[in-house]
């Protein structure tokens, strides 16, 4: 029985992540008074990309060719290590919060290398910007997780989620501050406003897109899918670690069903907030972003001292 | 900002419905070989377009940009514009290829992965248009890269472009009007 | 053979190697091979000795005492900590020696290889004596041997004036550090009556607090100079690049750790009670060194200087573990103190391995391209694929990414800092929070730096003609680099086992001897924190990741769209011809971070323009742009001290009048003074 739930957890993130990208795009389209693409459009895009041929640059080495597989595998193993809908699937072996943070950093490392590999100017500065933002975001990321780890007394994500004391008055303020700090890091790591515009065509303004300009066909599909997975993983972390309401604690189908429905609900709210932010605000100038990331770090530090 | 959000909710939906597109099959200008059905089915739900400006007077570009606004909303058909030719399925080329852009156009064509569709938008791109015979242009794209279809007009309105695009992908012809 | 004899054979092997190299110095080839083979035999013997010590002995391995002079006893005491350091020294020396045999071939006919072999063996023997000596004078002699022989190795390539200057600075700084250490030992002698560590241990119990604090400060500065903490680090970035690459690997991976070894020996083995502020000072020093080390590394584009700054950063991380251990001990939390010390020891081991790997790969690249400037590299992955692969593994390890060993020692350090936040009050809690923040930021910035180094060196197109003549280095290079890379992976996967081993080593130190401790056993090879609050399993992560990767590759490549055709084309260049100036440079890559941290790094830009017509000043004929980083330590730290010493010296000069009668008066005054004292 548990094997079935583990299998479900394995395929849940790659299966559902394009849906939420579609949801954010739909919300943005509605706010622009357009109809927009359907919420399942990303599935169609991925399917089509998989069936196309590829053109690979002659300057590229094996790092460029193998990086999409490594990046995609990183998102899958991260998906296995976080509590999605069940906290009874105790993963005390890879479910440590530092493990998840650095596993995602492994993906960013290889993506940045792949961006530099073809020797195009866009890939180079895209890698530079992405690594700068990612380096500064790590502080806020780890510290915001440390807040919940200190409250729960452990750094195992599944055990944190089982400790259901977050919405008590005592920890309300630290959790809220830590969540705001984490939200800024979510926007930074997944390449959303005000850090990066995922829909831009202007290469000089790109951060994430610039690194993948040289990919095509199956490898492009894997990278786009991995980006969607990463977005969904951050949504899950934001929804479940800070507000672990409704997560299944017993191994029966009803609890799992409720867990998945509540997760979708929380993720919808987060997507709505992100869609709203992307529609009312402009992208920040690059050198204003460190201020935002240090703010995230300071908020988490204050939250720790409030515990 | 609240006023802005309220305005969004109050403005009526004014996207042009698909039923008003009326382009008959014979109007599609086929310049090179016709695309196989298999390829068209591949792009039916999702099409990535890269627009290449081969020395155009920007009239067609303005009409193409208008395709993404709230009236024509090309995104609802699964069609979107991309930045790199390596991500693209279809190259939309405008302008009567000037001498300086010939090599760039060829490189964009080489960089686009197969299977791909090449469309020439505007009379300039099809046969040189108002610049025909000039010493600075090569009179139409088909002298540089193999073209599949052309959309005539100087420039064609966004509605014409959209109708022709959907026709090329054979959405209208088979009467499969997708209800949105 | 008893264990004592084994140890002396170990030292004798190196002495024999040194003497033999000198004897054979007329013939380059024989000298090189003799010193290489003897070093390999010696390091293998050392590894076996260390592993034997762990397997068969529990706490103290042996003590040997032989009185030569009244103060100087030839006393050696190998306990678990010394055996651990002997293991590290021998492991790295093994691979550096294998590498060195081929590396020094470009010194044939140029310099005296017998001398190189002599000092190389003396250097390693000095390090082994440092970690096993238990008499203060013997320790100082061994320390001097280590310092002086490494000086000669740094200035070995003496035709380059920069190397000679770097060696001179290194010699001065290491002797300044030694002066502080000598002062510390002298104070200990006064209270203990002898230089033996055991006598000092007894004497320290009754020492007044003022002297204990003085010894702490002196030891921190003295051993910190060897270790390379900020601000006494200035010799590191010049000395490590100047030495031959395998010596740089030994110096950077092992020699600077001997400073940390002595710090552990003094603070944990000799003192029996530690005030709280010691740990806080060490923690702050560690956090600052880590952050500043990696920031300065980002500004460098000399490959070996960059790696030297990363050594400073990692010493900072080790000091974070050490500092939190001191704080936990003074707060009475012995279990956590042992855990933090184990974290520091694990990082010492891991850093030695991946820093040696990186220096050896850098040496391989430099020996083929004859320049250390990263901006001249590019596209080397096509010319030197093996070196590139091993450098990539070293980069992933030093950035602290799973499944390699760097991640697990940083994990342990993070966990100890987190426990520190959890178990302390508001003021110390804030220091721990800042330390954790600096560790996180350091990890992120190290990632940036190694993407920059690997990308600019190996990827994309060649930036200069030198690259195109590079070829893959010899088999011995690849063998040593490959072995170190494999060890990185193995130490990472076996981190659970190492955690337990290192906890046992830490618990064997004198300061913890009266504690009753409880540790969880490792399940599934995982690392566990003392109270069971966190676990991470390296073998499982590795197996799951490998399975997923194989599954994804198989599924995408062979199941979906098998008939896909991959065409090799050109990089999309928007129609312009790409040349090597369009790739991102290493300077450009890190420029954003330098600008963000400009208040700390003080970058400066200078333009020099030459005009075609100097009156009209319209068209440039040539323009030179200089990007520099202001050296704050010279300006605010060393220059003032220099000035102060100069002023004091010129004031003291006034007693030198040149008149012999005044000097006789001085002698009379001193004599009367001493007679009154006695």
């Amino acid at each position: 029985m548990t094997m079935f739930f583990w299998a479900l957890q394995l395929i849940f993130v790659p299966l559902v992540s394009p849906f939420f990208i579609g949801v954010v795009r739909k919300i943005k389209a509605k706010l622009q008074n357009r109809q927009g693409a359907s919420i399942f459009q990303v599935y169609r895009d991925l399917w089509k990309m998989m069936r196309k041929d590829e053109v690979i640059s002659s300057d590229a080495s094996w790092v460029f060719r193998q990086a999409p597989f490594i990046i995609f595998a990183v998102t899958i193993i991260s998906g296995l290590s976080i509590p999605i809908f069940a906290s009874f699937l105790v993963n005390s072996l890879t479910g440590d919060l530092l493990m998840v943070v650095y596993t995602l950093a492994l993906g960013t490392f290889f993506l940045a290398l792949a961006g530099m590999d073809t020797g195009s100017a866009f890939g180079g500065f895209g890698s530079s910007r992405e690594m700068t933002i990612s380096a500064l975001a790590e502080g806020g990321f780890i510290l915001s997780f440390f807040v919940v780890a200190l409250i729960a007394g452990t750094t195992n994500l599944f055990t944190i989620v089982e400790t259901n004391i977050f919405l008590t008055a005592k920890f309300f303020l630290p959790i809220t501050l830590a969540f705001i700090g984490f939200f800024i890091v979510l926007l930074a790591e997944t390449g959303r406003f005000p850090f990066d515009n995922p829909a831009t065509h202007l290469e000089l303004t790109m951060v994430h897109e610039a690194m993948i300009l040289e990919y095509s066909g199956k490898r492009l599909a894997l990278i786009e899918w991995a980006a969607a997975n990463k977005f969904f993983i951050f949504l899950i972390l934001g929804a479940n670690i800070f507000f672990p309401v409704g997560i299944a604690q017993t191994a029966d189908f009803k609890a799992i069903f409720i867990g998945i429905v509540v997760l979708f609900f929380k993720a919808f709210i987060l997507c709505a907030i992100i869609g709203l932010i992307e529609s009312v605000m402009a992208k920040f100038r690059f050198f204003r972003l460190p201020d935002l990331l240090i703010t995230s770090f300071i908020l988490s530090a204050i939250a720790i001292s409030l515990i | 900002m609240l006023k802005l959000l309220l305005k969004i909710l109050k403005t009526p939906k004014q996207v042009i419905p698909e039923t008003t597109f009326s382009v008959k099959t014979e109007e599609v200008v086929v310049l090179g070989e016709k695309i196989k059905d298999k390829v068209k089915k591949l792009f039916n739900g999702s099409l990535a377009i890269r627009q290449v400006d081969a020395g155009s007077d920007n009239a067609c570009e303005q009409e193409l940009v208008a395709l993404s606004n709230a009236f024509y909303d090309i995104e609802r058909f699964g069609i979107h514009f991309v930045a790199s030719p390596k991500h693209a399925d279809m190259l939309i080329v405008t302008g009567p290829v000037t001498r300086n852009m010939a090599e760039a156009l060829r490189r964009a064509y080489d960089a686009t992965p197969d299977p791909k569709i090449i469309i020439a938008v505007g009379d300039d791109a099809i046969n040189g248009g108002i610049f025909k015979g000039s010493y600075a242009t090569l009179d139409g794209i088909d002298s540089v890269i193999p073209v599949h279809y052309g959309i005539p007009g100087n420039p064609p309105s966004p509605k014409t472009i959209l109708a022709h695009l959907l026709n090329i992908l054979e959405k209208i012809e088979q009467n499969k009007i997708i209800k949105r | 053979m008893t264990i004592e004899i084994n140890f002396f054979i170990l030292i004798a092997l190196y002495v024999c190697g040194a003497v033999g190299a000198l004897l054979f110095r007329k013939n380059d080839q024989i000298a090189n091979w003799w010193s290489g083979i003897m070093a390999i035999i010696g390091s293998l013997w050392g590894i076996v000795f260390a592993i034997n010590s762990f397997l068969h002995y529990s706490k103290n391995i042996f003590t040997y005492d032989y009185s030569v002079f009244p103060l100087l006893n030839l006393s050696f005491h190998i306990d678990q900590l010394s055996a651990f350091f002997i293991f590290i020294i021998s492991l790295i020396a093994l691979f550096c020696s294998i590498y060195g045999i081929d590396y020094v071939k470009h010194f044939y006919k140029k310099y005296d290889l017998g001398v190189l072999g002599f000092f190389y063996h003396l250097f390693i023997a000095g390090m082994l004596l440092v970690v096993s000596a238990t008499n203060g004078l013997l320790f100082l002699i061994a320390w001097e041997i280590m310092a002086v022989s490494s000086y000669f190795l740094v200035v070995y390539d003496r035709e380059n004036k920069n190397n000679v200057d770097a060696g001179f600075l290194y010699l001065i700084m290491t002797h300044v550090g030694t002066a502080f250490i000598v002062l510390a030992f002298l104070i200990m002698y006064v209270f203990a009556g002898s230089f033996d560590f055991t006598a000092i241990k007894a004497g320290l119990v009754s020492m007044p607090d003022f002297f204990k604090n003085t010894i702490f400060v002196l030891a921190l500065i003295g051993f910190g100079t060897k270790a390379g903490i900020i601000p006494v680090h200035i010799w590191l970035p010049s000395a490590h690049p100047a030495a031959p690459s395998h010596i740089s690997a030994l110096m950077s991976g092992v020699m600077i750790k001997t400073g940390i070894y002595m710090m552990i020996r003094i603070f944990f083995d000799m003192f029996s009670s530690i005030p709280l502020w010691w740990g806080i000072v060490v923690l702050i020093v560690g956090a600052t060194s880590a952050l500043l080390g990696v920031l300065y590394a980002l500004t460098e584009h000399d490959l070996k200087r960059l790696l030297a700054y990363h050594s400073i950063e990692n010493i900072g991380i080790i000091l974070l573990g050490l500092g939190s251990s001191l704080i936990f001990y003074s707060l009475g939390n012995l279990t956590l103190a042992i855990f933090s010390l184990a974290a520091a020891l694990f990082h010492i081991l891991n850093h030695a391995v991946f820093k040696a790997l990186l220096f050896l790969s850098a040496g391989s690249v430099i020996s083929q391209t004859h320049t250390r400037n990263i901006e001249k590299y590019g596209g080397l992955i096509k010319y030197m694929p093996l070196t590139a692969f091993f450098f990539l593994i070293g980069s992933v390890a030093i950035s602290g990414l799973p499944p390699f060993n760097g991640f697990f020692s940083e994990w342990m350090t993070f966990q100890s800092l987190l426990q520190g936040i959890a178990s302390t009050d508001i003021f110390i809690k804030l220091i721990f929070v800042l330390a954790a923040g600096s560790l996180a930021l350091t990890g992120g910035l190290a990632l940036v730096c190694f993407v920059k180094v690997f990308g600019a060196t190996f990827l994309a197109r060649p930036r200069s003609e030198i690259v195109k003549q590079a070829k893959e280095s010899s088999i011995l290079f690849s063998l040593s680099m490959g072995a170190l890379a494999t060890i990185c992976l193995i130490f990472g996967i076996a981190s659970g086992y190492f955690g337990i081993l290192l906890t046992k080593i830490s618990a064997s130190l004198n300061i913890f001897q009266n504690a009753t401790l409880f540790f969880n056993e490792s399940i599934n090879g995982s690392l566990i924190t003392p109270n069971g609050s966190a676990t991470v399993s390296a073998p499982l992560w590795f197996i799951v990741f490998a399975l997923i990767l194989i599954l994804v590759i198989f599924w995408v490549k062979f199941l979906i769209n098998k008939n896909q055709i991959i065409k090799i084309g050109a990089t999309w260049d928007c129609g312009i011809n790409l040349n090597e100036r369009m790739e991102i440079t290493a300077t450009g890559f890190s420029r954003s971070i330098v600008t963000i941290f400009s208040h700390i790094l003080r970058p400066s830009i200078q333009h020099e323009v030459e005009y075609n017509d100097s009156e009209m000043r319209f068209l440039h004929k040539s323009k030179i742009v200089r990007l520099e980083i202001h050296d704050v330590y010279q300006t605010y730290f060393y220059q003032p001290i220099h000035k102060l010493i100069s002023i004091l010296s010129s004031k003291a000069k006034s007693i030198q009048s040149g008149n012999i009668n005044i000097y006789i008066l001085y002698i009379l005054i001193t004599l009367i003074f001493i007679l009154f004292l006695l």
Side-chain angles (χ1 to χ4, degrees):
Chain A
M1 178 65 114
T2 330
M3 286 310 291
F4 169 71
F5 291 132
W6 271 117
L8 185 62
Q9 174 134 346
L10 177 70
I11 60 169
F12 193 78
V13 166
L15 205 63
V16 176
S17 58
F19 174 72
F20 281 100
I21 300 276
V23 164
V24 177
R25 285 190 196 167
K26 191 75 165 172
I27 294 175
K28 277 165 68 173
K30 288 296 183 192
L31 282 172
Q32 290 166 14
N33 217 2
R34 291 187 294 130
Q35 220 171 35
S38 94
I39 49 182
F40 299 105
Q41 180 62 35
V42 182
Y43 290 102
R44 291 203 196 104
D45 289 338
L46 289 176
W47 182 230
K48 175 209 66 181
M49 278 191 256
M50 283 284 192
R51 291 181 297 159
K52 285 199 65 169
D53 290 346
E54 280 183 50
V55 177
I56 296 189
S57 154
S58 53
D59 293 326
S61 65
W62 64 264
V63 173
F64 181 84
R65 281 164 217 256
Q66 308 309 326
F69 300 108
I70 298 178
I71 298 169
F72 190 70
V74 156
T75 59
I76 302 281
I77 196 173
S78 304
L80 265 183
S81 313
I82 59 178
I84 304 181
F85 45 75
S87 65
F88 63 83
L89 291 172
V90 173
N91 183 353
S92 63
L93 299 167
T94 63
D96 190 78
L97 68 89
L98 286 168
M99 197 89 187
V100 172
V101 171
Y102 279 96
T103 311
L104 290 170
L106 183 68
T108 314
F109 184 81
F110 276 97
L111 185 59
L113 283 182
M116 288 181 82
D117 199 7
T118 49
S120 76
F122 307 130
F125 70 65
S127 298
S128 164
R129 291 174 183 176
E130 169 85 12
M131 292 311 298
T132 309
I133 294 177
S134 172
L136 296 171
E138 286 232 359
F141 195 7
I142 293 182
L143 276 195
S144 64
F145 272 172
F146 272 6
V147 172
V148 287
L150 283 168
I151 295 180
T154 170
T155 56
N156 186 319
L157 289 171
F158 290 83
T159 322
I160 291 177
V161 159
E162 260 179 6
T163 329
N164 242 330
I165 55 173
F166 290 123
L167 293 179
T168 59
K170 186 166 160 206
F171 295 121
F172 180 68
L173 191 55
I175 297 276
T176 317
L177 285 176
F179 179 69
I180 298 175
F182 175 78
F183 191 69
I184 297 176
V185 172
L186 187 156
L187 295 175
E189 291 272 353
T190 53
R192 298 265 135 198
F193 278 55
F195 294 88
D196 182 16
N197 182 354
T200 183
H201 298 167
L202 306 169
E203 287 91 348
L204 289 177
T205 64
M206 290 177 177
V207 176
H208 175 85
E209 308 299 317
M211 295 187 286
I212 61 175
L213 282 176
E214 290 293 323
Y215 278 109
S216 49
K218 280 194 237 176
R219 291 184 162 87
L220 179 64
L222 276 180
I223 291 204
E224 295 275 352
W225 203 352
N229 284 350
K230 194 170 173 184
F231 179 65
F232 191 41
I233 288 175
F234 272 91
L235 282 182
I236 295 174
L237 286 172
N240 281 351
I241 306 288
F242 295 93
F243 307 105
V245 191
I247 296 198
Q249 298 193 326
T250 51
D252 59 344
F253 281 101
K254 183 160 158 259
I256 300 278
F257 183 69
I258 296 179
I260 296 182
V261 165
V262 173
L263 171 72
F264 268 60
F265 179 66
K266 288 189 270 190
F268 264 121
I269 298 180
L270 279 175
C271 287
I273 298 176
I274 295 178
L276 198 64
I277 291 180
E278 298 213 339
S279 303
V280 305
M281 142 187 302
K283 204 167 78 81
F284 279 5
R285 180 183 161 246
F286 186 74
F287 286 109
R288 285 177 63 190
L289 297 175
D291 299 344
L292 199 54
L293 290 167
I294 301 289
T295 311
S296 147
F297 175 83
I298 292 177
L299 283 174
S300 308
I302 294 177
I304 290 185
S305 50
L306 283 177
I307 298 178
Chain B
M1 196 179 80
L2 203 57
K3 254 200 316 189
L4 191 61
L5 292 174
L6 284 175
K7 191 169 176 195
I8 294 175
L9 292 171
K10 276 191 266 180
T11 315
K13 297 280 169 282
Q14 48 211 353
V15 66
I16 295 184
E18 206 176 323
T19 44
T20 61
F21 298 148
S22 57
V23 175
K24 300 188 229 352
T25 335
E26 43 284 7
E27 284 181 30
V28 171
V29 175
V30 180
L31 291 179
E33 47 174 86
K34 211 164 178 259
I35 289 287
K36 295 200 255 295
D37 278 338
K38 190 176 72 167
V39 174
K40 288 198 220 181
K41 244 208 255 241
L42 179 67
F43 298 138
N44 202 351
S46 142
L47 184 71
I49 302 183
R50 177 27 157 103
Q51 187 264 327
V52 182
D53 176 348
S56 106
D57 55 4
N58 283 346
C60 298
E61 270 79 1
Q62 292 193 353
E63 308 299 343
L64 283 168
V65 162
L67 278 176
S68 318
N69 64 17
F71 292 104
Y72 300 102
D73 197 13
I74 200 172
E75 237 190 281
R76 62 192 152 124
F77 301 110
I79 306 176
H80 62 285
F81 284 89
V82 290
S84 165
K86 290 212 164 100
H87 297 184
D89 310 317
M90 172 189 281
L91 282 182
I92 285 191
V93 192
T94 56
V97 187
T98 52
R99 283 179 199 282
N100 291 337
M101 279 304 291
E103 179 60 31
L105 182 58
R106 208 169 288 130
R107 287 188 193 175
Y109 176 78
D110 287 333
T112 316
D114 290 319
K116 53 196 170 203
I117 307 179
I118 317 289
I119 297 194
V121 171
D123 290 333
D124 300 342
I126 294 177
N127 53 18
I130 58 177
F131 302 109
K132 193 173 181 127
S134 157
Y135 62 90
T137 67
L138 299 175
D139 283 345
I141 305 176
D142 39 8
S143 50
V144 180
I145 55 176
V147 187
H148 298 118
Y149 297 103
I151 301 181
N154 195 8
S157 76
K159 196 162 167 193
T160 318
I161 299 178
L162 194 48
H164 276 279
L165 264 181
L166 292 175
N167 208 350
I168 289 166
L169 295 175
E170 271 159 32
K171 281 199 201 320
I172 310 180
E173 195 194 13
Q174 292 163 14
N175 262 338
K176 271 193 336 198
I177 296 176
I178 306 149
K179 287 197 175 44
R180 301 265 174 206
Chain C
M1 268 196 287
T2 61
I3 196 91
E4 286 95 347
I5 308 229
N6 282 348
F7 178 69
F8 288 118
I9 293 183
L10 179 63
I11 304 289
L13 277 171
Y14 281 109
V15 170
C16 191
V19 168
L22 262 191
L23 285 178
F24 291 125
R25 65 185 224 272
K26 295 294 181 197
N27 187 335
D28 281 342
Q29 194 116 353
I30 297 187
N32 182 21
W33 278 94
W34 169 262
S35 76
I37 299 283
M38 286 306 285
I40 293 176
I41 296 177
S43 36
L44 280 172
W45 190 271
I47 295 178
V48 168
F49 172 81
I51 297 183
N52 189 31
S53 318
F54 286 128
L55 286 180
H56 294 287
Y57 294 83
S58 60
K59 196 170 157 190
N60 289 319
I61 294 152
F62 77 91
T63 311
Y64 174 84
D65 219 340
Y66 179 69
S67 277
V68 177
F69 304 108
L71 290 175
L72 168 62
N73 294 345
L74 280 179
S75 34
F76 299 98
H77 173 67
I78 311 272
D79 63 352
Q80 298 248 328
L81 186 66
S82 309
F84 178 63
F85 272 87
I86 292 180
F87 176 69
I88 300 179
I89 297 173
S90 309
L91 186 70
I92 306 299
L94 174 65
F95 297 113
C96 290
S97 312
I98 297 178
Y99 182 92
I101 295 180
D102 256 349
Y103 181 80
V104 301
K105 285 202 170 127
H106 77 266
F107 289 140
Y108 280 4
K109 304 277 181 295
K110 209 167 152 200
Y111 301 118
D112 192 341
L113 276 164
V115 167
L116 179 68
F118 176 70
F119 283 118
Y120 182 66
H121 282 268
L122 217 58
F123 178 47
I124 303 181
M127 283 197 284
L128 288 171
L129 286 174
V130 160
V131 302
S132 57
T134 192
N135 174 297
L137 273 186
L138 180 65
F139 165 76
L140 284 171
I141 294 176
W143 189 258
E144 245 342 85
I145 295 177
M146 189 176 76
V148 169
S149 46
S150 53
Y151 163 73
F152 281 110
L153 290 169
V154 165
V155 297
Y156 186 70
D157 190 3
R158 60 184 181 272
E159 277 172 18
N160 188 342
K161 186 174 179 303
N162 292 331
N163 295 349
V164 179
D165 290 341
F168 187 61
L169 180 61
Y170 169 51
L171 196 65
I172 293 184
M173 287 304 291
T174 191
H175 281 108
V176 165
T178 312
F180 281 95
I181 299 171
V182 169
L183 205 55
F185 270 108
L186 284 177
I187 297 181
M188 287 195 244
Y189 174 76
V190 167
F191 283 92
S194 102
F195 278 108
D196 276 319
F197 285 4
T198 32
I200 293 179
K201 223 178 287 191
L204 279 177
V205 176
S206 53
M207 195 187 270
D209 276 343
F210 169 71
F211 288 106
K212 278 191 188 164
N213 295 337
T214 321
I215 292 183
F216 168 72
V217 171
L218 290 173
L220 187 63
I221 300 178
F223 292 113
T225 312
K226 180 62 75 179
I229 58 179
I230 305 244
V232 284
H233 66 285
I234 51 171
W235 61 273
L236 238 162
S238 0
H240 284 188
S245 298
H246 61 300
I247 311 284
S248 305
L250 261 181
M251 283 173 72
S252 195
V254 183
M255 187 187 75
I256 56 182
K257 309 298 174 30
T258 53
I260 306 281
Y261 162 80
M262 254 340 255
M263 275 196 221
I264 298 179
R265 184 62 79 196
I266 291 185
F267 298 153
F268 288 95
D269 225 18
M270 293 199 212
F271 282 104
S272 46
S273 78
I274 296 179
L276 182 61
W277 68 270
W278 287 12
I280 298 182
V281 166
V282 174
L283 198 65
I284 294 179
V285 163
T288 330
S289 302
L291 208 50
L292 286 174
V294 75
L295 280 175
Y296 283 112
L298 274 163
T299 65
E300 288 288 341
H301 54 80
D302 174 332
L303 187 55
K304 284 169 83 169
R305 259 181 96 94
L306 188 144
L307 292 174
Y309 272 115
H310 275 286
S311 294
I312 299 178
E313 171 216 337
N314 281 288
I315 288 287
I317 298 179
I318 295 171
L319 284 178
L320 280 176
L322 204 66
S324 29
S325 183
L326 287 169
I327 293 182
F328 288 135
Y329 181 77
S330 48
L331 291 177
N333 194 339
L334 290 175
T335 325
L336 275 179
I338 294 185
F339 183 72
S340 315
L341 189 58
L345 288 176
F346 198 23
H347 201 73
I348 291 179
L349 176 64
N350 292 338
H351 177 241
V353 177
F354 54 65
K355 189 42 69 76
L357 172 61
L358 284 170
F359 263 109
L360 294 185
S361 326
S364 167
V365 168
I366 294 171
S367 67
Q368 290 290 327
T369 55
H370 305 292
T371 171
R372 295 205 306 251
N373 188 357
I374 300 183
E375 311 282 19
K376 299 266 191 289
Y377 298 156
L380 277 170
I381 197 169
K382 299 197 179 60
Y383 300 91
M384 309 174 75
L386 279 177
T387 308
F389 181 65
F390 298 133
F391 196 94
L392 182 63
I393 294 188
S395 312
V396 176
I398 198 172
S399 314
L401 297 174
F404 294 99
N405 50 6
F407 170 69
F408 295 100
S409 49
E410 275 193 31
W411 185 87
M412 285 175 81
T413 316
F414 262 121
Q415 288 296 341
S416 46
L417 290 174
L418 184 62
Q419 297 291 345
I421 302 178
S423 59
T424 53
D425 290 329
I426 186 64
F427 176 60
I428 313 174
K429 182 189 279 210
L430 189 61
I431 297 185
F432 269 111
V433 169
L434 289 176
S438 96
L439 184 59
L441 188 58
T442 306
L445 289 172
L447 259 170
V448 179
C449 197
F450 276 93
V451 169
K452 166 187 113 172
V453 173
F454 186 77
T457 310
F458 292 102
L459 300 178
R461 288 182 300 282
R463 289 188 183 81
S464 67
E465 287 307 308
I466 341 177
V467 168
K468 300 199 182 138
Q469 285 131 15
K471 305 188 305 293
E472 185 59 71
S473 333
S474 77
I475 184 77
L476 284 179
F477 279 28
S478 310
L479 197 69
S480 44
M481 292 192 287
L484 281 170
T486 323
I487 290 179
C488 276
L489 186 60
I490 293 179
F491 280 8
I493 298 183
S495 53
Y497 169 71
F498 274 101
I500 298 184
L501 179 67
L502 290 164
T503 328
K504 289 210 190 93
I505 295 179
S506 319
S508 73
L509 290 170
N510 179 47
I511 207 167
F512 299 121
Q513 64 183 4
N514 296 324
T516 49
L517 304 155
F518 169 71
F519 287 103
N520 298 315
E521 284 300 311
S522 155
I523 317 167
N524 292 332
S526 54
L527 269 174
I528 309 187
T529 52
N531 52 3
S533 64
T535 57
V536 62
S537 166
L540 196 79
W541 191 94
F542 181 67
I543 294 174
V544 172
F545 186 72
L547 276 177
I548 294 179
L549 190 59
I550 294 174
L551 212 69
V552 166
I553 295 181
F554 179 71
W555 181 53
V556 171
K557 266 202 162 147
F558 300 113
L559 289 181
I560 300 183
N561 194 7
K562 291 193 285 282
N563 307 320
Q564 182 202 47
I565 306 168
I566 300 187
K567 213 169 57 158
I568 306 290
T571 308
W572 170 238
D573 51 10
C574 302
I576 313 170
N577 291 327
L578 283 177
N579 58 17
E580 69 273 355
R581 295 198 44 191
M582 293 194 190
E583 302 170 31
I584 189 126
T585 59
T587 317
F589 194 93
S590 51
R591 202 69 195 159
S592 315
I593 297 208
V594 170
T595 314
I596 292 170
F597 287 100
S598 56
H599 289 294
I600 302 178
L601 291 171
R602 314 279 186 95
S604 64
I605 305 183
Q606 280 171 326
H607 301 271
E608 269 175 40
V609 185
E610 204 186 308
Y611 292 102
N612 270 316
D613 182 349
S614 58
E615 273 129 38
M616 249 181 53
R617 289 197 240 176
F618 192 61
L619 291 170
H620 292 180
K621 190 157 137 194
S622 76
K623 185 169 183 179
I624 303 181
V625 178
R626 268 194 199 67
L627 300 167
E628 274 170 4
I629 302 288
H630 181 65
D631 192 347
V632 287
Y633 306 103
Q634 290 279 53
T635 327
Y636 295 111
F637 192 71
Y638 289 98
Q639 298 278 35
I641 294 183
H642 182 167
K643 237 192 259 181
L644 184 66
I645 296 182
S646 303
I647 293 177
L648 286 178
S649 318
S650 50
K651 290 256 161 51
K653 216 168 54 162
S654 56
I655 69 170
Q656 287 176 310
S657 59
N659 187 345
I660 198 167
N661 299 325
I662 305 281
Y663 292 156
I664 297 181
L665 183 64
Y666 289 156
I667 297 176
L668 185 64
I669 294 179
T670 318
L671 217 59
I672 297 176
F673 185 61
I674 294 179
L675 283 172
F676 267 115
L677 259 189
L678 286 178

